């Protein structure tokens, strides 16, 4: 059995990160650096496509950016002053080279490469319709649906065909596309998935997070607006609004809770500062008498600092993370698998023994990781172990590009607070409230109670249609009914 970091197995995973450069010397090298900064958004595979006024050049590989895009024999062929890149964590489509992005196709209007962050919630229906009319798919990725919609559109220009394709899809997406005429970047009408724009020595750069701009020495210009399509051609940047501007933006609230790097700026807010504010709010809502505040590294650190500062309880690194464990290791049996947790994280025993501990983490998904952490603290001699979570209970699956278990596997969807506390064997458990989360973001929920973010994983309030999910649920209900009748 192969697994990743055992403390990350029970986290929500973003689908991917994207990066694009237009008009930059050594565009592929800049893209590789940008993808390094976005590696946390996708660790399964990476790819880069470049264009040099004559041809497109692509290299895609399973695994991390490092080791795949740091060799001369790989980077030299990726010539040109324009490039797009992608790091992937699969939510739609299996783990195989055919699904690694950017995806590329030769269309009637010329070469077309695309990298996608998000999930198309009607991809299965569109795929069936396209196949029925003769389309031949080479991958199982929902992103390929966009290519086929562009290829089969009757609109006169490539941009018109691309817009026509986007108007047929549902769900969440940020896209960077490379053509022989330039680079296209766009964001879904609700802005569920993030995308920012920067500038470096005349080159225009797009990335999932501002930290990628920092790494390549680019200046942040602005966020790509929800529903905006930006075209960069011959150094000129033009903005288009093919969807109008009526819908209220609903960016994914989990970007501030967990997905984005803490040194990024998202929606004009420091992610690190927001996470500290969430921790402070959690201390106000769920106080506890304790000796130490201990973060679950690394994602729980900012919230733990905020909790400690607000509560006055000392902050300590009671769990030490090793940074020298490879991403993948073999775990041949249950006992070795249990011990394998300590390869990555280990209790600071001398600090923990005899103390009342408040553990701070960003979320609870299945609860299996939280149980391991509590057991680790108990084994280290903790007198009491209290758990505080810097997000509301995750009760609903995400259909917008985040890898979440089916709802029946989500701990908070099936157990009340008391039962969850007993499951993870903690002395107490509390989550920040949804109103508290909005308060930490500096945007209390509006008087009409309409959210300013996509918080569906907490509330079940999905901002778009979920065609494929609804069809699958209906089919499952029909099958169950037929089984009972039979």
């Amino acid at each position: 059995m192969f697994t990743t970091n055992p403390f990350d197995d029970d986290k929500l995973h973003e689908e991917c990160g994207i990066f694009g450069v237009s008009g930059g010397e050594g565009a592929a090298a800049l893209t590789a650096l940008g993808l390094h900064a976005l590696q946390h958004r996708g660790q399964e595979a990476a790819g880069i496509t470049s264009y040099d006024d004559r041809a497109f050049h692509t290299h895609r590989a399973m695994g991390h950016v490092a080791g795949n895009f740091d060799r001369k024999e790989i980077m030299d062929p990726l010539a040109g002053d324009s490039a797009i890149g992608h790091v992937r964590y699969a939510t739609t489509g299996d783990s195989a080279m055919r699904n690694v992005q950017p995806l590329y196709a030769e269309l009637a209007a010329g070469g077309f490469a695309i990298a996608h962050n998000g999930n198309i919630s009607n991809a299965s229906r569109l795929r069936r319709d396209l196949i029925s009319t003769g389309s031949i798919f080479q991958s199982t990725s929902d992103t390929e649906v966009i290519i086929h919609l562009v290829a089969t559109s009757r609109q006169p220009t490539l941009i018109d065909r691309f817009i026509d394709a986007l108007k047929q899809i549902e769900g969440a997406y940020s896209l960077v596309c490379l053509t022989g005429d330039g680079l296209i970047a766009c964001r879904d009408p609700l802005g569920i998935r993030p995308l920012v724009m920067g500038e470096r020595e005349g080159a225009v750069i797009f990335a999932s997070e501002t930290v990628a701009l920092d790494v390549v020495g680019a200046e942040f210009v602005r966020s790509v607006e929800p529903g905006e399509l930006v075209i960069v051609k011959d150094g000129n940047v033009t903005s288009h609004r093919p969807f109008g501007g009526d819908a209220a933006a609903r960016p994914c609230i989990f970007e501030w809770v967990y997905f984005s790097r803490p040194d990024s700026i998202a929606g004009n807010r420091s992610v690190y500062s927001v996470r500290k504010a969430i921790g402070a709010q959690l201390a106000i809502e769920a106080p506890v008498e304790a000796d130490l505040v201990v973060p679950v590294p690394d994602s729980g650190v900012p919230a733990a600092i905020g909790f400690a500062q607000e509560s006055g309880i000392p902050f300590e690194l009671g769990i030490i993370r090793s940074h020298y464990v490879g991403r993948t290791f073999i775990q041949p049996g249950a006992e070795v698998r249990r011990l394998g947790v300590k390869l990555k994280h280990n209790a600071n025993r001398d600090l923990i023994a005899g103390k009342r501990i408040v553990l701070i983490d960003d979320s609870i998904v299945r609860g299996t990781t939280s149980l391991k952490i509590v057991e680790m603290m108990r084994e280290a001699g903790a007198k009491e172990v209290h758990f505080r979570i810097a997000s509301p209970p995750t009760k609903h699956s995400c259909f917008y590009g985040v890898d979440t278990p089916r709802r029946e596997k989500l701990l908070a969807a099936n157990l009340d607070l008391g039962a969850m506390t007993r499951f993870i064997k903690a002395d107490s458990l509390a989550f920040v409230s949804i109103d508290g989360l909005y308060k930490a973001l500096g945007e209390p929920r509006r008087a009409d109670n309409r959210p300013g973010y996509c918080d569906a994983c907490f509330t079940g309030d999905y901002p778009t249609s979920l065609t494929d999910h609804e069809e699958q649920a209906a089919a499952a209900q029909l099958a169950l009914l037929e089984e009972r009748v039979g």
Side-chain angles (χ1 to χ4, degrees):
M1 175 181 177
F2 292 87
T3 183
T4 58
N5 164 16
F7 272 37
D8 288 341
D9 288 346
D10 198 25
K11 296 290 187 183
L12 300 181
H13 291 278
E14 247 281 20
E15 183 184 34
C16 59
I18 58 176
F19 191 91
V21 181
S22 178
E25 184 178 352
L30 288 175
T31 301
L33 287 173
L35 294 180
H36 271 289
L38 299 173
Q39 187 73 84
H40 60 288
R41 299 185 76 92
Q43 301 183 39
E44 180 182 84
I48 296 175
T49 296
S50 68
Y51 181 70
D52 65 357
D53 294 329
R54 295 186 304 276
F56 290 83
H57 313 279
T58 297
H59 181 76
R60 302 182 298 161
M62 303 300 293
H64 288 188
V65 179
N68 284 311
F69 292 93
D70 53 7
R71 302 196 303 274
K72 182 178 176 62
E73 62 270 24
I74 289 175
M75 297 306 299
D76 282 356
L78 296 173
D81 66 358
S82 296
I84 61 173
H86 188 272
V87 287
R88 181 173 193 261
Y89 184 94
T91 63
T92 300
D94 54 13
S95 300
M97 274 298 299
R98 62 178 176 165
N99 289 326
V100 180
Q101 297 184 32
L103 299 182
Y104 175 80
E106 287 285 349
L107 306 181
F112 183 80
I114 184 170
H116 171 207
N117 171 212
N119 190 61
I120 300 170
S121 57
N122 63 336
S124 294
R125 174 181 282 187
L126 290 170
R127 186 185 182 98
R128 288 197 307 270
D129 293 344
L130 287 161
I131 290 173
S132 70
T133 56
S135 290
I136 300 173
F137 281 75
Q138 301 298 317
S139 76
T140 58
S141 170
D142 61 334
T143 309
E144 192 179 357
V145 168
I146 300 174
I147 294 177
H148 286 275
L149 290 173
V150 174
T152 56
S153 173
R154 302 284 185 170
Q155 296 299 314
T157 70
L158 179 60
I159 294 299
D160 290 333
R161 292 174 186 177
F162 182 61
I163 291 171
D164 184 37
L166 296 182
K167 288 183 176 179
Q168 298 178 62
I169 65 178
E170 301 170 356
Y173 55 85
S174 283
L175 304 168
V176 285
C177 307
L178 191 60
T179 76
D181 286 332
L183 190 147
I184 308 167
C186 69
R187 199 171 171 199
D188 66 76
L190 297 179
I192 298 173
R193 300 263 67 87
L195 191 62
V196 297
M197 181 167 61
E199 187 273 336
R200 179 187 185 275
E201 298 177 358
V204 181
I205 298 176
F206 298 93
S208 294
E209 292 183 38
T210 60
V211 68
L213 302 180
D214 297 338
V215 165
V216 302
E219 180 183 354
F220 171 72
V221 175
R222 63 179 178 86
S223 294
V224 176
E225 296 297 323
E228 183 182 15
L229 186 148
V230 181
I231 300 173
V232 186
K233 181 177 181 180
D234 298 327
N236 297 313
V237 179
T238 57
S239 174
H240 305 263
R241 300 280 185 168
F243 309 106
D246 297 333
R250 295 279 297 274
C252 173
I253 203 167
F254 226 87
E255 291 290 340
W256 289 269
V257 172
Y258 175 69
F259 293 146
S260 292
R261 266 180 47 165
D263 46 343
S264 280
I265 304 296
N268 297 320
R269 297 176 184 85
S270 161
V271 173
Y272 177 80
S273 296
V274 169
R275 289 179 187 166
K276 280 184 62 180
I278 296 172
Q281 183 65 28
L282 185 56
I284 293 169
E285 293 184 358
V288 60
E289 291 187 4
D291 302 307
L292 298 176
V293 174
V294 174
V296 176
D298 286 322
S299 58
V301 171
I305 293 173
F307 191 101
Q309 290 176 348
E310 179 64 34
S311 66
I313 302 171
F315 170 95
E316 294 286 357
L317 295 178
I319 301 172
I320 304 302
R321 177 188 173 192
S322 169
H323 292 267
Y324 303 102
V325 177
R327 174 176 180 262
T328 304
F329 52 93
I330 299 172
Q331 296 183 325
E335 177 63 15
V336 175
R337 184 160 53 247
R338 185 185 70 82
L339 295 174
V341 171
K342 295 184 179 181
L343 287 174
K344 194 73 175 182
H345 296 82
N346 192 36
N348 194 345
R349 185 176 296 272
D350 186 61
L351 190 68
I352 297 300
K355 301 294 197 316
R356 298 170 298 174
I357 306 300
V358 185
L359 290 167
I360 309 293
D361 204 357
D362 57 85
S363 61
I364 289 182
V365 183
R366 297 179 182 88
T368 52
T369 292
S370 302
L371 171 60
K372 292 176 185 177
I373 298 168
V374 171
E375 290 178 339
M376 181 185 292
M377 295 293 98
R378 302 257 190 230
E379 290 172 2
K383 183 178 180 181
E384 296 176 10
V385 182
H386 303 272
F387 230 122
R388 296 295 181 266
I389 307 300
S391 65
T394 303
K395 295 183 177 182
H396 305 271
S397 297
C398 177
F399 301 97
Y400 300 123
V402 177
D403 181 50
T404 52
R406 296 189 307 273
R407 193 167 184 229
E408 57 266 27
K409 299 290 185 180
L410 295 172
L411 193 70
N414 297 281
L415 300 178
D416 62 20
L417 185 63
M420 282 192 285
T421 307
R422 291 189 292 274
F423 179 87
I424 67 171
K425 299 181 180 179
D427 290 287
S428 71
L429 170 66
F431 298 78
V432 73
S433 67
I434 187 68
D435 288 334
L437 179 58
Y438 272 78
K439 185 176 181 179
L441 277 158
E443 291 190 15
R445 287 165 70 88
R446 295 180 292 216
D448 59 6
N449 210 36
R450 291 179 59 200
Y453 298 87
C454 178
D455 55 17
C457 54
F458 307 133
T459 65
D461 181 4
Y462 295 98
T464 76
S465 299
L466 302 174
T467 299
D468 291 344
H469 171 67
E470 291 163 359
E471 288 183 352
Q472 292 164 7
Q477 288 180 345
L478 180 60
L480 181 62
L481 179 62
E482 290 174 345
E483 181 181 337
R484 288 175 177 174
V485 172

